[in-house]
Amino acid sequence: MSSLTIAEARDRADLIGVAGYTVHLDLDQGDETFASRAEIRFTASRPGASTFLDVDAREVSSITLNGRSIDPATVADRRVELPGLQADNTVVVEATMAYSRSGRACTARSTRPTARPMSTA
């Protein structure tokens, strides 16, 4: 997966505001994988614009954006495009996830730049 660039993070932070998440996990599916259903509610400052969602899944079974189906085969490089955003949006991703065997605890870090750099002038 391509790393999120600072420019992408700023653009996405300017475009969307996350209202909430609902995540359901089914951990009773064996030692290798688990089922996941993630619902993300967010606003878009520019209706009609698009953004992307990071999807790090072994297999994606369905994606819907505002009730419209997005083909799971369009996930590329662990990202899926979310086109035609509305002012208020809901994306739902159902997927099979793999358990991490890296030996590290949850070390993911997300930075959402909201402050503008200060001018040195």
Side-chain angles (χ1 to χ4, degrees), residues 14-87:
D14 286 343
L15 176 62
I16 67 169
V18 176
Y21 297 88
T22 302
V23 179
H24 296 277
L25 304 176
D26 180 354
L27 304 178
D28 192 23
Q29 300 208 343
D31 294 337
E32 298 297 318
T33 62
F34 60 94
S36 169
R37 182 183 187 278
E39 177 180 302
I40 305 166
R41 295 169 309 284
F42 63 98
T43 59
S45 61
R46 295 186 313 275
S50 66
T51 190
F52 62 91
L53 181 67
D54 296 324
V55 181
D56 188 6
R58 182 167 288 177
E59 179 182 347
V60 178
S61 56
S62 72
I63 305 169
T64 58
L65 173 63
N66 300 324
R68 294 184 332 259
S69 182
I70 296 175
D71 184 354
T74 62
V75 176
D77 199 21
R78 294 191 254 180
R79 288 187 179 180
V80 64
E81 287 295 316
L82 302 177
L85 298 178
Q86 299 174 9

